[in-house]
Amino acid sequence: AGFFSVPKKCQKAREHFGTVRTQMESLKTKFPADQYYRFHEHWRFVLQRLVFLAAFVVYLESETLVTREAVAEILGIKADREQGFHLDIEDYLSGVLTLASELARLAVNSVTAGDYSRPLRISTFINELDSGFRLLNLKNDSLRKRYDGLKYDVKKIEEVVYDLSIRGLNKEATVGVGEEK
């Protein structure tokens, strides 16, 4: 089945987000809205993981980066801090960095499955993501450390694309250096 089953799997994943929304509704009632950050550590990791899962589903469906607002909607929470229980920007960014690592794996697995154009598209996406992260002034914290790992994902994907071009397995990848695509 391979990549042909991806749309069906994405639909199934979206159904599971319904359960997530129900759980989020319940969680919102367990503490005062103005004390979000007092309890943030309790759900931070789970939220980051859910951001990754939502971002991965959206990427598989459309090969685009999901916005923070769209993730918040998928999870049934707010994007705006003033509205109480929300998707913290650092949790969103952390989930997006997890997506980058998973896409590096997908690039390798795509080649194994005989899909030689996907790694090129992933490479373009990851390079744009890396450019965006470089614009941020990240403090020396966990998010910065996670971002530092992005350069290894970029390198891994570049190696896959390079191998494809050397072997002539991807017509787009064999466009000569300096030529217009």
Side-chain angles (χ1 to χ4, degrees):
F3 288 114
F4 298 111
S5 65
V6 168
K8 198 176 223 172
K9 302 265 189 229
C10 288
Q11 185 56 44
K12 188 75 174 159
R14 285 203 178 257
E15 290 169 19
H16 287 298
F17 282 119
T19 306
V20 169
R21 284 189 291 277
T22 303
Q23 295 297 324
M24 288 294 172
E25 281 303 317
S26 174
L27 180 60
K28 288 180 210 176
T29 67
K30 306 291 187 214
F31 63 95
D34 63 341
Q35 296 192 19
Y36 176 89
Y37 284 103
R38 178 177 176 193
F39 299 100
H40 182 236
E41 282 301 314
H42 293 290
W43 57 73
R44 190 175 107 173
F45 177 76
V46 173
L47 261 187
Q48 291 172 2
R49 193 74 183 162
L50 288 168
V51 169
F52 153 66
L53 293 170
F56 194 40
V57 167
V58 168
Y59 179 83
L60 290 173
E61 290 171 342
S62 63
E63 294 189 5
T64 60
L65 177 62
V66 69
T67 64
R68 181 168 152 238
E69 292 74 19
V71 173
E73 190 176 314
I74 288 168
L75 301 181
I77 58 179
K78 303 296 181 193
D80 187 9
R81 180 179 180 165
E82 277 71 51
Q83 295 179 307
F85 197 97
H86 65 284
L87 177 56
D88 183 75
I89 186 71
E90 289 190 11
D91 292 340
Y92 167 75
L93 294 173
S94 191
V96 167
L97 287 169
T98 304
L99 171 67
S101 297
E102 191 60 32
L103 291 180
R105 288 185 47 217
L106 181 60
V108 172
N109 291 335
S110 297
V111 173
T112 306
D115 184 348
Y116 303 131
S117 63
R118 185 178 300 267
L120 219 73
R121 297 192 311 272
I122 290 173
S123 177
T124 301
F125 179 84
I126 292 294
N127 281 314
E128 288 174 6
L129 195 63
D130 183 47
S131 295
F133 269 94
R134 274 191 260 140
L135 296 173
L136 300 175
N137 183 16
L138 297 173
K139 299 181 290 292
N140 196 11
D141 59 4
S142 63
L143 189 59
R144 175 61 196 218
K145 289 178 183 80
R146 299 280 314 278
Y147 166 67
D148 289 343
L150 181 60
K151 66 180 156 218
Y152 297 106
D153 297 326
V154 169
K155 185 176 185 284
K156 186 184 208 178
I157 294 166
E158 283 174 352
E159 287 171 357
V160 170
V161 170
Y162 177 74
D163 282 349
L164 287 172
S165 64
I166 291 297
R167 298 172 201 281
L169 293 172
N170 187 313
K171 301 281 185 269
E172 292 176 59
T174 57
V175 171
V177 176
E179 289 181 26
E180 290 293 316
K181 287 187 180 180

